[in-house]
Amino acid sequence: MPSSSADKPAGALVLFSGGQDSTTCLAYALERYGRVETVGFNYGQRHAVELECRQRVLAAIPQRFPAWSERLGADHMIDLSTFGAIGETALTSGTEIVMTGSGLPSTFVPGRNLAFFVYAAAVGHRRGLNVLVGGMCETDYSGYPDCRHETLQALQSAIRLGTEIPFSIETPLMRLSKAASWALADELGGKALIDLIREETHTCYLGDHVTKHAWGYGCGRCPACELRAKGYEEWRAS
Ligand code: ZN
Protein backbone atom coordinates (compact mmCIF):
# COMPACT_ATOMS: atom_id res chain seq x y z
CA MET A 1 0.00 0.00 0.00
CA PRO A 2 1.26 3.52 -0.72
CA SER A 3 2.39 5.63 2.22
CA SER A 4 3.17 8.95 0.57
CA SER A 5 -0.17 10.69 0.08
CA ALA A 6 -0.25 14.19 1.58
CA ASP A 7 -3.27 13.71 3.82
CA LYS A 8 -1.90 10.57 5.44
CA PRO A 9 -1.05 10.94 9.15
CA ALA A 10 2.67 11.24 9.80
CA GLY A 11 3.03 8.04 11.73
CA ALA A 12 1.69 5.33 13.93
CA LEU A 13 2.36 3.95 17.40
CA VAL A 14 1.74 0.22 17.68
CA LEU A 15 0.76 -1.42 20.98
CA PHE A 16 3.30 -4.22 20.73
CA SER A 17 3.43 -7.21 23.08
CA GLY A 18 5.52 -9.65 21.03
CA GLY A 19 2.54 -11.88 20.31
CA GLN A 20 1.11 -13.02 16.98
CA ASP A 21 -1.60 -10.37 16.83
CA SER A 22 0.53 -7.34 17.67
CA THR A 23 3.29 -8.55 15.33
CA THR A 24 0.73 -8.67 12.52
CA CYS A 25 -0.41 -5.17 13.53
CA LEU A 26 3.18 -3.95 13.44
CA ALA A 27 3.53 -5.27 9.88
CA TYR A 28 0.22 -3.60 8.98
CA ALA A 29 1.51 -0.24 10.28
CA LEU A 30 4.92 -0.59 8.63
CA GLU A 31 3.23 -1.26 5.31
CA ARG A 32 0.90 1.69 5.72
CA TYR A 33 2.77 4.50 7.50
CA GLY A 34 6.11 6.19 6.88
CA ARG A 35 7.07 6.30 10.55
CA VAL A 36 6.21 3.62 13.06
CA GLU A 37 7.16 3.29 16.71
CA THR A 38 6.19 0.66 19.28
CA VAL A 39 5.02 0.78 22.87
CA GLY A 40 4.98 -2.12 25.32
CA PHE A 41 3.64 -2.46 28.82
CA ASN A 42 5.15 -4.28 31.73
CA TYR A 43 2.12 -5.09 33.86
CA GLY A 44 3.65 -7.81 35.97
CA GLN A 45 3.33 -10.62 33.40
CA ARG A 46 4.00 -14.03 34.88
CA HIS A 47 6.32 -14.96 32.03
CA ALA A 48 9.42 -13.01 31.10
CA VAL A 49 9.41 -14.97 27.82
CA GLU A 50 6.75 -12.59 26.50
CA LEU A 51 9.03 -9.59 26.90
CA GLU A 52 12.01 -11.52 25.49
CA CYS A 53 10.02 -12.44 22.36
CA ARG A 54 9.09 -8.81 22.01
CA GLN A 55 12.75 -7.80 21.75
CA ARG A 56 13.58 -10.62 19.34
CA VAL A 57 10.76 -9.68 16.96
CA LEU A 58 11.78 -6.00 17.03
CA ALA A 59 15.40 -6.97 16.30
CA ALA A 60 14.40 -9.29 13.45
CA ILE A 61 12.18 -6.84 11.57
CA PRO A 62 14.96 -4.60 10.13
CA GLN A 63 17.09 -7.66 9.31
CA ARG A 64 14.42 -9.62 7.51
CA PHE A 65 12.34 -6.79 6.01
CA PRO A 66 14.67 -4.19 4.46
CA ALA A 67 11.72 -2.23 3.04
CA TRP A 68 10.39 -1.67 6.57
CA SER A 69 13.69 -1.01 8.36
CA GLU A 70 13.76 2.75 7.67
CA ARG A 71 10.21 3.16 8.94
CA LEU A 72 10.65 1.35 12.24
CA GLY A 73 11.65 3.80 14.96
CA ALA A 74 11.95 3.81 18.73
CA ASP A 75 10.44 1.31 21.14
CA HIS A 76 8.94 2.56 24.39
CA MET A 77 8.38 0.42 27.49
CA ILE A 78 5.92 1.64 30.11
CA ASP A 79 5.84 0.21 33.60
CA LEU A 80 2.25 -0.60 34.57
CA SER A 81 3.11 -3.12 37.25
CA THR A 82 0.42 -1.61 39.45
CA PHE A 83 -1.99 -3.60 37.27
CA GLY A 84 -0.48 -6.77 38.67
CA ALA A 85 -1.23 -5.55 42.16
CA ILE A 86 -4.80 -4.53 41.33
CA GLY A 87 -5.81 -7.36 39.04
CA GLU A 88 -4.74 -10.42 41.06
CA THR A 89 -5.65 -12.56 38.09
CA ALA A 90 -4.12 -15.62 36.50
CA LEU A 91 -1.66 -13.83 34.20
CA THR A 92 -0.22 -11.71 36.95
CA SER A 93 -0.24 -14.02 39.96
CA GLY A 94 -0.19 -17.72 40.70
CA THR A 95 -3.94 -18.09 40.29
CA GLU A 96 -5.13 -20.93 38.09
CA ILE A 97 -6.63 -19.99 34.71
CA VAL A 98 -10.33 -20.78 34.92
CA MET A 99 -13.58 -19.39 33.54
CA THR A 100 -15.12 -17.06 36.09
CA GLY A 101 -18.78 -16.62 36.96
CA SER A 102 -19.00 -13.60 34.65
CA GLY A 103 -18.02 -15.80 31.68
CA LEU A 104 -14.55 -14.27 31.43
CA PRO A 105 -11.32 -16.22 31.86
CA SER A 106 -9.48 -15.37 35.07
CA THR A 107 -6.65 -14.02 32.87
CA PHE A 108 -8.73 -10.92 32.22
CA VAL A 109 -7.54 -7.71 33.87
CA PRO A 110 -10.49 -5.31 33.85
CA GLY A 111 -9.90 -2.23 31.74
CA ARG A 112 -6.35 -3.19 30.81
CA ASN A 113 -6.68 -2.22 27.16
CA LEU A 114 -8.33 1.06 28.10
CA ALA A 115 -5.29 1.97 30.18
CA PHE A 116 -2.92 0.84 27.43
CA PHE A 117 -4.48 3.24 24.91
CA VAL A 118 -4.47 6.19 27.31
CA TYR A 119 -0.75 5.67 27.96
CA ALA A 120 -0.15 5.11 24.23
CA ALA A 121 -1.85 8.44 23.48
CA ALA A 122 0.49 10.19 25.91
CA VAL A 123 3.51 8.59 24.20
CA GLY A 124 2.02 9.30 20.75
CA HIS A 125 1.61 12.95 21.63
CA ARG A 126 5.25 13.22 22.71
CA ARG A 127 6.41 11.49 19.52
CA GLY A 128 4.04 13.16 17.06
CA LEU A 129 2.25 9.90 16.23
CA ASN A 130 -1.52 10.30 15.93
CA VAL A 131 -2.48 6.78 14.87
CA LEU A 132 -2.64 4.21 17.67
CA VAL A 133 -2.72 0.62 16.44
CA GLY A 134 -3.82 -2.34 18.57
CA GLY A 135 -4.40 -6.04 17.93
CA MET A 136 -7.74 -6.28 19.71
CA CYS A 137 -10.15 -8.73 18.15
CA GLU A 138 -13.77 -9.28 19.05
CA THR A 139 -14.22 -12.32 16.83
CA ASP A 140 -12.32 -14.88 18.85
CA TYR A 141 -12.10 -13.18 22.26
CA SER A 142 -15.77 -12.32 22.49
CA GLY A 143 -15.66 -12.22 26.27
CA TYR A 144 -13.23 -9.31 26.59
CA PRO A 145 -15.32 -6.14 26.79
CA ASP A 146 -12.31 -3.84 26.40
CA CYS A 147 -11.45 -5.49 23.05
CA ARG A 148 -14.78 -4.65 21.43
CA HIS A 149 -15.09 -2.29 18.49
CA GLU A 150 -17.76 -0.26 20.27
CA THR A 151 -15.56 0.17 23.35
CA LEU A 152 -12.58 1.33 21.33
CA GLN A 153 -14.69 3.73 19.25
CA ALA A 154 -15.89 5.30 22.50
CA LEU A 155 -12.34 5.39 23.83
CA GLN A 156 -11.13 7.10 20.65
CA SER A 157 -13.78 9.80 21.19
CA ALA A 158 -12.79 10.17 24.85
CA ILE A 159 -9.09 10.47 24.01
CA ARG A 160 -9.81 13.05 21.26
CA LEU A 161 -11.97 15.09 23.63
CA GLY A 162 -9.57 14.76 26.50
CA THR A 163 -6.44 15.68 24.54
CA GLU A 164 -7.80 17.90 21.74
CA ILE A 165 -5.56 15.87 19.44
CA PRO A 166 -7.17 13.98 16.52
CA PHE A 167 -5.94 10.53 17.55
CA SER A 168 -7.20 7.55 15.57
CA ILE A 169 -7.40 4.09 17.06
CA GLU A 170 -6.92 1.41 14.39
CA THR A 171 -7.62 -2.25 15.10
CA PRO A 172 -6.97 -4.13 11.85
CA LEU A 173 -7.75 -7.54 13.39
CA MET A 174 -11.05 -6.52 15.01
CA ARG A 175 -13.34 -8.48 12.70
CA LEU A 176 -10.91 -11.19 11.60
CA SER A 177 -10.92 -14.85 12.59
CA LYS A 178 -7.57 -16.28 13.68
CA ALA A 179 -7.31 -17.97 10.26
CA ALA A 180 -7.87 -14.61 8.59
CA SER A 181 -5.16 -13.07 10.81
CA TRP A 182 -2.65 -15.63 9.52
CA ALA A 183 -3.82 -14.79 5.97
CA LEU A 184 -3.32 -11.07 6.63
CA ALA A 185 0.22 -11.70 7.90
CA ASP A 186 0.93 -13.68 4.74
CA GLU A 187 -0.45 -10.87 2.60
CA LEU A 188 1.64 -8.23 4.42
CA GLY A 189 4.96 -10.00 4.76
CA GLY A 190 4.76 -13.34 2.95
CA LYS A 191 6.60 -16.41 4.15
CA ALA A 192 9.22 -14.30 5.95
CA LEU A 193 6.57 -12.83 8.25
CA ILE A 194 4.81 -16.15 8.76
CA ASP A 195 8.16 -17.68 9.74
CA LEU A 196 8.91 -14.79 12.10
CA ILE A 197 5.52 -15.24 13.79
CA ARG A 198 5.98 -19.00 14.07
CA GLU A 199 9.53 -18.79 15.42
CA GLU A 200 9.61 -15.71 17.61
CA THR A 201 6.17 -14.61 18.77
CA HIS A 202 4.64 -15.82 21.99
CA THR A 203 0.99 -16.48 22.77
CA CYS A 204 0.91 -19.35 25.29
CA TYR A 205 -0.65 -18.51 28.66
CA LEU A 206 1.66 -21.00 30.40
CA GLY A 207 4.87 -19.41 29.09
CA ASP A 208 5.97 -22.53 27.16
CA HIS A 209 8.44 -21.39 24.48
CA VAL A 210 10.13 -24.79 24.18
CA THR A 211 7.51 -27.14 22.69
CA LYS A 212 7.45 -26.52 18.93
CA HIS A 213 4.45 -26.99 16.67
CA ALA A 214 3.74 -26.06 13.03
CA TRP A 215 2.06 -22.88 14.32
CA GLY A 216 4.86 -21.93 16.70
CA TYR A 217 5.85 -22.55 20.32
CA GLY A 218 3.46 -23.24 23.17
CA CYS A 219 1.97 -25.83 25.49
CA GLY A 220 -0.66 -26.67 22.87
CA ARG A 221 -3.41 -27.05 25.49
CA CYS A 222 -4.15 -23.62 26.99
CA PRO A 223 -6.92 -21.50 25.41
CA ALA A 224 -4.43 -19.20 23.66
CA CYS A 225 -2.51 -22.12 22.12
CA GLU A 226 -5.73 -23.87 21.05
CA LEU A 227 -6.97 -20.72 19.33
CA ARG A 228 -3.65 -20.12 17.58
CA ALA A 229 -3.34 -23.75 16.45
CA LYS A 230 -6.92 -23.91 15.18
CA GLY A 231 -6.50 -20.67 13.23
CA TYR A 232 -3.25 -21.85 11.69
CA GLU A 233 -4.75 -25.16 10.62
CA GLU A 234 -7.81 -23.46 9.13
CA TRP A 235 -5.62 -20.99 7.24
CA ARG A 236 -3.37 -23.79 5.90
CA ALA A 237 -6.43 -25.74 4.78
CA SER A 238 -8.02 -22.76 3.02
ZN1 ZN B 1 -0.27 -22.68 25.80
PDB file of all heavy atoms in Angstrom, residues 64-91:
ATOM      1  N   ARG A  64      15.128  -8.771   8.471  1.00  0.00           N
ATOM      2  CA  ARG A  64      14.415  -9.623   7.512  1.00  0.00           C
ATOM      3  C   ARG A  64      13.538  -8.849   6.541  1.00  0.00           C
ATOM      4  O   ARG A  64      13.090  -9.404   5.533  1.00  0.00           O
ATOM      5  CB  ARG A  64      13.541 -10.633   8.272  1.00  0.00           C
ATOM      6  CG  ARG A  64      14.342 -11.498   9.230  1.00  0.00           C
ATOM      7  CD  ARG A  64      13.507 -12.656   9.729  1.00  0.00           C
ATOM      8  NE  ARG A  64      14.085 -13.281  10.899  1.00  0.00           N
ATOM      9  CZ  ARG A  64      13.544 -14.310  11.536  1.00  0.00           C
ATOM     10  NH1 ARG A  64      12.383 -14.811  11.119  1.00  0.00           N
ATOM     11  NH2 ARG A  64      14.118 -14.827  12.599  1.00  0.00           N
ATOM     12  N   PHE A  65      13.234  -7.578   6.863  1.00  0.00           N
ATOM     13  CA  PHE A  65      12.339  -6.786   6.013  1.00  0.00           C
ATOM     14  C   PHE A  65      12.991  -5.431   5.706  1.00  0.00           C
ATOM     15  O   PHE A  65      12.645  -4.425   6.325  1.00  0.00           O
ATOM     16  CB  PHE A  65      10.979  -6.596   6.694  1.00  0.00           C
ATOM     17  CG  PHE A  65      10.309  -7.877   7.072  1.00  0.00           C
ATOM     18  CD1 PHE A  65      10.512  -8.437   8.322  1.00  0.00           C
ATOM     19  CD2 PHE A  65       9.497  -8.550   6.162  1.00  0.00           C
ATOM     20  CE1 PHE A  65       9.915  -9.638   8.668  1.00  0.00           C
ATOM     21  CE2 PHE A  65       8.900  -9.750   6.502  1.00  0.00           C
ATOM     22  CZ  PHE A  65       9.102 -10.303   7.756  1.00  0.00           C
ATOM     23  N   PRO A  66      13.933  -5.428   4.757  1.00  0.00           N
ATOM     24  CA  PRO A  66      14.670  -4.189   4.459  1.00  0.00           C
ATOM     25  C   PRO A  66      13.739  -3.026   4.106  1.00  0.00           C
ATOM     26  O   PRO A  66      14.026  -1.885   4.472  1.00  0.00           O
ATOM     27  CB  PRO A  66      15.533  -4.582   3.250  1.00  0.00           C
ATOM     28  CG  PRO A  66      15.644  -6.068   3.313  1.00  0.00           C
ATOM     29  CD  PRO A  66      14.378  -6.564   3.942  1.00  0.00           C
ATOM     30  N   ALA A  67      12.630  -3.308   3.449  1.00  0.00           N
ATOM     31  CA  ALA A  67      11.722  -2.227   3.041  1.00  0.00           C
ATOM     32  C   ALA A  67      11.084  -1.541   4.248  1.00  0.00           C
ATOM     33  O   ALA A  67      10.651  -0.398   4.160  1.00  0.00           O
ATOM     34  CB  ALA A  67      10.625  -2.786   2.131  1.00  0.00           C
ATOM     35  N   TRP A  68      11.029  -2.235   5.377  1.00  0.00           N
ATOM     36  CA  TRP A  68      10.392  -1.675   6.572  1.00  0.00           C
ATOM     37  C   TRP A  68      11.414  -1.064   7.521  1.00  0.00           C
ATOM     38  O   TRP A  68      11.039  -0.350   8.462  1.00  0.00           O
ATOM     39  CB  TRP A  68       9.617  -2.760   7.326  1.00  0.00           C
ATOM     40  CG  TRP A  68       8.404  -3.260   6.599  1.00  0.00           C
ATOM     41  CD1 TRP A  68       7.773  -2.650   5.551  1.00  0.00           C
ATOM     42  CD2 TRP A  68       7.672  -4.455   6.869  1.00  0.00           C
ATOM     43  NE1 TRP A  68       6.700  -3.400   5.150  1.00  0.00           N
ATOM     44  CE2 TRP A  68       6.616  -4.511   5.943  1.00  0.00           C
ATOM     45  CE3 TRP A  68       7.813  -5.480   7.805  1.00  0.00           C
ATOM     46  CZ2 TRP A  68       5.692  -5.559   5.924  1.00  0.00           C
ATOM     47  CZ3 TRP A  68       6.899  -6.527   7.791  1.00  0.00           C
ATOM     48  CH2 TRP A  68       5.844  -6.560   6.854  1.00  0.00           C
ATOM     49  N   SER A  69      12.702  -1.356   7.324  1.00  0.00           N
ATOM     50  CA  SER A  69      13.693  -1.007   8.355  1.00  0.00           C
ATOM     51  C   SER A  69      13.779   0.495   8.579  1.00  0.00           C
ATOM     52  O   SER A  69      13.953   0.947   9.713  1.00  0.00           O
ATOM     53  CB  SER A  69      15.059  -1.592   8.005  1.00  0.00           C
ATOM     54  OG  SER A  69      15.551  -1.002   6.833  1.00  0.00           O
ATOM     55  N   GLU A  70      13.659   1.295   7.498  1.00  0.00           N
ATOM     56  CA  GLU A  70      13.763   2.752   7.672  1.00  0.00           C
ATOM     57  C   GLU A  70      12.552   3.333   8.396  1.00  0.00           C
ATOM     58  O   GLU A  70      12.631   4.417   8.968  1.00  0.00           O
ATOM     59  CB  GLU A  70      13.882   3.438   6.311  1.00  0.00           C
ATOM     60  CG  GLU A  70      15.290   3.420   5.765  1.00  0.00           C
ATOM     61  CD  GLU A  70      15.429   4.294   4.538  1.00  0.00           C
ATOM     62  OE1 GLU A  70      14.516   5.102   4.271  1.00  0.00           O
ATOM     63  OE2 GLU A  70      16.446   4.138   3.841  1.00  0.00           O
ATOM     64  N   ARG A  71      11.437   2.625   8.336  1.00  0.00           N
ATOM     65  CA  ARG A  71      10.212   3.157   8.939  1.00  0.00           C
ATOM     66  C   ARG A  71      10.104   2.842  10.423  1.00  0.00           C
ATOM     67  O   ARG A  71       9.398   3.531  11.153  1.00  0.00           O
ATOM     68  CB  ARG A  71       8.990   2.538   8.228  1.00  0.00           C
ATOM     69  CG  ARG A  71       8.959   2.863   6.756  1.00  0.00           C
ATOM     70  CD  ARG A  71       7.795   2.201   6.083  1.00  0.00           C
ATOM     71  NE  ARG A  71       7.736   2.603   4.686  1.00  0.00           N
ATOM     72  CZ  ARG A  71       6.706   2.371   3.884  1.00  0.00           C
ATOM     73  NH1 ARG A  71       5.637   1.732   4.346  1.00  0.00           N
ATOM     74  NH2 ARG A  71       6.732   2.765   2.650  1.00  0.00           N
ATOM     75  N   LEU A  72      10.781   1.793  10.841  1.00  0.00           N
ATOM     76  CA  LEU A  72      10.652   1.353  12.235  1.00  0.00           C
ATOM     77  C   LEU A  72      11.540   2.190  13.144  1.00  0.00           C
ATOM     78  O   LEU A  72      12.760   2.178  13.008  1.00  0.00           O
ATOM     79  CB  LEU A  72      11.008  -0.139  12.358  1.00  0.00           C
ATOM     80  CG  LEU A  72      10.865  -0.741  13.758  1.00  0.00           C
ATOM     81  CD1 LEU A  72       9.428  -0.635  14.260  1.00  0.00           C
ATOM     82  CD2 LEU A  72      11.313  -2.204  13.749  1.00  0.00           C
ATOM     83  N   GLY A  73      10.912   2.915  14.065  1.00  0.00           N
ATOM     84  CA  GLY A  73      11.650   3.797  14.962  1.00  0.00           C
ATOM     85  C   GLY A  73      11.724   3.244  16.372  1.00  0.00           C
ATOM     86  O   GLY A  73      11.764   2.026  16.590  1.00  0.00           O
ATOM     87  N   ALA A  74      11.681   4.150  17.329  1.00  0.00           N
ATOM     88  CA  ALA A  74      11.950   3.809  18.726  1.00  0.00           C
ATOM     89  C   ALA A  74      10.891   2.884  19.333  1.00  0.00           C
ATOM     90  O   ALA A  74       9.733   2.852  18.909  1.00  0.00           O
ATOM     91  CB  ALA A  74      12.029   5.094  19.543  1.00  0.00           C
ATOM     92  N   ASP A  75      11.334   2.142  20.330  1.00  0.00           N
ATOM     93  CA  ASP A  75      10.441   1.311  21.142  1.00  0.00           C
ATOM     94  C   ASP A  75      10.347   1.950  22.526  1.00  0.00           C
ATOM     95  O   ASP A  75      11.335   2.451  23.063  1.00  0.00           O
ATOM     96  CB  ASP A  75      11.014  -0.104  21.250  1.00  0.00           C
ATOM     97  CG  ASP A  75      10.169  -1.003  22.135  1.00  0.00           C
ATOM     98  OD1 ASP A  75       8.920  -0.936  22.025  1.00  0.00           O
ATOM     99  OD2 ASP A  75      10.741  -1.763  22.939  1.00  0.00           O
ATOM    100  N   HIS A  76       9.160   1.942  23.085  1.00  0.00           N
ATOM    101  CA  HIS A  76       8.937   2.555  24.393  1.00  0.00           C
ATOM    102  C   HIS A  76       8.334   1.513  25.330  1.00  0.00           C
ATOM    103  O   HIS A  76       7.339   0.879  24.988  1.00  0.00           O
ATOM    104  CB  HIS A  76       7.960   3.730  24.270  1.00  0.00           C
ATOM    105  CG  HIS A  76       8.308   4.683  23.159  1.00  0.00           C
ATOM    106  ND1 HIS A  76       9.156   5.739  23.323  1.00  0.00           N
ATOM    107  CD2 HIS A  76       7.938   4.699  21.850  1.00  0.00           C
ATOM    108  CE1 HIS A  76       9.292   6.382  22.175  1.00  0.00           C
ATOM    109  NE2 HIS A  76       8.562   5.777  21.257  1.00  0.00           N
ATOM    110  N   MET A  77       8.948   1.333  26.487  1.00  0.00           N
ATOM    111  CA  MET A  77       8.380   0.418  27.494  1.00  0.00           C
ATOM    112  C   MET A  77       7.812   1.243  28.649  1.00  0.00           C
ATOM    113  O   MET A  77       8.480   2.128  29.175  1.00  0.00           O
ATOM    114  CB  MET A  77       9.458  -0.527  28.036  1.00  0.00           C
ATOM    115  CG  MET A  77       9.700  -1.770  27.198  1.00  0.00           C
ATOM    116  SD  MET A  77       8.246  -2.792  26.870  1.00  0.00           S
ATOM    117  CE  MET A  77       7.919  -3.461  28.500  1.00  0.00           C
ATOM    118  N   ILE A  78       6.588   0.924  29.027  1.00  0.00           N
ATOM    119  CA  ILE A  78       5.923   1.639  30.110  1.00  0.00           C
ATOM    120  C   ILE A  78       5.678   0.657  31.253  1.00  0.00           C
ATOM    121  O   ILE A  78       5.148  -0.435  31.032  1.00  0.00           O
ATOM    122  CB  ILE A  78       4.553   2.190  29.640  1.00  0.00           C
ATOM    123  CG1 ILE A  78       4.693   2.998  28.353  1.00  0.00           C
ATOM    124  CG2 ILE A  78       3.892   3.000  30.762  1.00  0.00           C
ATOM    125  CD1 ILE A  78       5.261   4.372  28.504  1.00  0.00           C
ATOM    126  N   ASP A  79       6.034   1.063  32.432  1.00  0.00           N
ATOM    127  CA  ASP A  79       5.839   0.212  33.603  1.00  0.00           C
ATOM    128  C   ASP A  79       4.436   0.404  34.171  1.00  0.00           C
ATOM    129  O   ASP A  79       4.113   1.455  34.701  1.00  0.00           O
ATOM    130  CB  ASP A  79       6.884   0.554  34.665  1.00  0.00           C
ATOM    131  CG  ASP A  79       6.789  -0.373  35.878  1.00  0.00           C
ATOM    132  OD1 ASP A  79       5.915  -1.276  35.867  1.00  0.00           O
ATOM    133  OD2 ASP A  79       7.562  -0.196  36.820  1.00  0.00           O
ATOM    134  N   LEU A  80       3.601  -0.623  33.998  1.00  0.00           N
ATOM    135  CA  LEU A  80       2.251  -0.598  34.567  1.00  0.00           C
ATOM    136  C   LEU A  80       2.095  -1.740  35.570  1.00  0.00           C
ATOM    137  O   LEU A  80       1.065  -2.407  35.614  1.00  0.00           O
ATOM    138  CB  LEU A  80       1.202  -0.733  33.456  1.00  0.00           C
ATOM    139  CG  LEU A  80       1.000   0.473  32.536  1.00  0.00           C
ATOM    140  CD1 LEU A  80      -0.133   0.193  31.561  1.00  0.00           C
ATOM    141  CD2 LEU A  80       0.685   1.719  33.344  1.00  0.00           C
ATOM    142  N   SER A  81       3.142  -1.966  36.341  1.00  0.00           N
ATOM    143  CA  SER A  81       3.115  -3.120  37.249  1.00  0.00           C
ATOM    144  C   SER A  81       2.038  -2.982  38.323  1.00  0.00           C
ATOM    145  O   SER A  81       1.665  -3.966  38.959  1.00  0.00           O
ATOM    146  CB  SER A  81       4.489  -3.336  37.880  1.00  0.00           C
ATOM    147  OG  SER A  81       4.971  -2.137  38.433  1.00  0.00           O
ATOM    148  N   THR A  82       1.521  -1.777  38.500  1.00  0.00           N
ATOM    149  CA  THR A  82       0.419  -1.614  39.447  1.00  0.00           C
ATOM    150  C   THR A  82      -0.789  -2.449  39.031  1.00  0.00           C
ATOM    151  O   THR A  82      -1.593  -2.836  39.868  1.00  0.00           O
ATOM    152  CB  THR A  82      -0.008  -0.139  39.529  1.00  0.00           C
ATOM    153  OG1 THR A  82      -0.059   0.390  38.217  1.00  0.00           O
ATOM    154  CG2 THR A  82       0.950   0.664  40.366  1.00  0.00           C
ATOM    155  N   PHE A  83      -0.893  -2.738  37.707  1.00  0.00           N
ATOM    156  CA  PHE A  83      -1.993  -3.596  37.267  1.00  0.00           C
ATOM    157  C   PHE A  83      -1.898  -4.980  37.878  1.00  0.00           C
ATOM    158  O   PHE A  83      -2.915  -5.615  38.166  1.00  0.00           O
ATOM    159  CB  PHE A  83      -2.022  -3.708  35.737  1.00  0.00           C
ATOM    160  CG  PHE A  83      -3.099  -2.892  35.128  1.00  0.00           C
ATOM    161  CD1 PHE A  83      -2.806  -1.753  34.403  1.00  0.00           C
ATOM    162  CD2 PHE A  83      -4.428  -3.251  35.278  1.00  0.00           C
ATOM    163  CE1 PHE A  83      -3.803  -0.984  33.857  1.00  0.00           C
ATOM    164  CE2 PHE A  83      -5.430  -2.488  34.733  1.00  0.00           C
ATOM    165  CZ  PHE A  83      -5.119  -1.339  34.026  1.00  0.00           C
ATOM    166  N   GLY A  84      -0.661  -5.456  38.051  1.00  0.00           N
ATOM    167  CA  GLY A  84      -0.482  -6.766  38.667  1.00  0.00           C
ATOM    168  C   GLY A  84      -1.008  -6.774  40.084  1.00  0.00           C
ATOM    169  O   GLY A  84      -1.618  -7.743  40.545  1.00  0.00           O
ATOM    170  N   ALA A  85      -0.780  -5.651  40.772  1.00  0.00           N
ATOM    171  CA  ALA A  85      -1.231  -5.546  42.162  1.00  0.00           C
ATOM    172  C   ALA A  85      -2.750  -5.437  42.247  1.00  0.00           C
ATOM    173  O   ALA A  85      -3.374  -5.992  43.145  1.00  0.00           O
ATOM    174  CB  ALA A  85      -0.581  -4.329  42.816  1.00  0.00           C
ATOM    175  N   ILE A  86      -3.345  -4.742  41.301  1.00  0.00           N
ATOM    176  CA  ILE A  86      -4.797  -4.535  41.331  1.00  0.00           C
ATOM    177  C   ILE A  86      -5.546  -5.768  40.845  1.00  0.00           C
ATOM    178  O   ILE A  86      -6.522  -6.209  41.444  1.00  0.00           O
ATOM    179  CB  ILE A  86      -5.199  -3.319  40.455  1.00  0.00           C
ATOM    180  CG1 ILE A  86      -4.584  -2.036  41.004  1.00  0.00           C
ATOM    181  CG2 ILE A  86      -6.724  -3.184  40.379  1.00  0.00           C
ATOM    182  CD1 ILE A  86      -4.653  -0.861  40.057  1.00  0.00           C
ATOM    183  N   GLY A  87      -5.059  -6.313  39.717  1.00  0.00           N
ATOM    184  CA  GLY A  87      -5.811  -7.361  39.042  1.00  0.00           C
ATOM    185  C   GLY A  87      -5.904  -8.669  39.808  1.00  0.00           C
ATOM    186  O   GLY A  87      -6.963  -9.264  39.911  1.00  0.00           O
ATOM    187  N   GLU A  88      -4.783  -9.128  40.358  1.00  0.00           N
ATOM    188  CA  GLU A  88      -4.743 -10.419  41.059  1.00  0.00           C
ATOM    189  C   GLU A  88      -5.377 -11.517  40.224  1.00  0.00           C
ATOM    190  O   GLU A  88      -6.144 -12.329  40.725  1.00  0.00           O
ATOM    191  CB  GLU A  88      -5.457 -10.318  42.415  1.00  0.00           C
ATOM    192  CG  GLU A  88      -4.734  -9.487  43.449  1.00  0.00           C
ATOM    193  CD  GLU A  88      -3.415 -10.096  43.885  1.00  0.00           C
ATOM    194  OE1 GLU A  88      -3.266 -11.320  43.777  1.00  0.00           O
ATOM    195  OE2 GLU A  88      -2.546  -9.356  44.324  1.00  0.00           O
ATOM    196  N   THR A  89      -5.059 -11.544  38.955  1.00  0.00           N
ATOM    197  CA  THR A  89      -5.653 -12.555  38.086  1.00  0.00           C
ATOM    198  C   THR A  89      -4.597 -13.549  37.641  1.00  0.00           C
ATOM    199  O   THR A  89      -3.440 -13.457  38.029  1.00  0.00           O
ATOM    200  CB  THR A  89      -6.306 -11.913  36.856  1.00  0.00           C
ATOM    201  OG1 THR A  89      -5.264 -11.348  36.063  1.00  0.00           O
ATOM    202  CG2 THR A  89      -7.299 -10.844  37.246  1.00  0.00           C
ATOM    203  N   ALA A  90      -4.989 -14.486  36.805  1.00  0.00           N
ATOM    204  CA  ALA A  90      -4.120 -15.616  36.500  1.00  0.00           C
ATOM    205  C   ALA A  90      -2.835 -15.238  35.764  1.00  0.00           C
ATOM    206  O   ALA A  90      -1.817 -15.885  35.933  1.00  0.00           O
ATOM    207  CB  ALA A  90      -4.888 -16.640  35.671  1.00  0.00           C
ATOM    208  N   LEU A  91      -2.874 -14.189  34.936  1.00  0.00           N
ATOM    209  CA  LEU A  91      -1.661 -13.834  34.200  1.00  0.00           C
ATOM    210  C   LEU A  91      -0.647 -13.150  35.090  1.00  0.00           C
ATOM    211  O   LEU A  91       0.532 -13.153  34.807  1.00  0.00           O
ATOM    212  CB  LEU A  91      -1.988 -12.899  33.033  1.00  0.00           C
ATOM    213  CG  LEU A  91      -2.462 -13.541  31.743  1.00  0.00           C
ATOM    214  CD1 LEU A  91      -2.611 -12.490  30.675  1.00  0.00           C
ATOM    215  CD2 LEU A  91      -1.507 -14.625  31.269  1.00  0.00           C
TER     216      LEU A  91
END
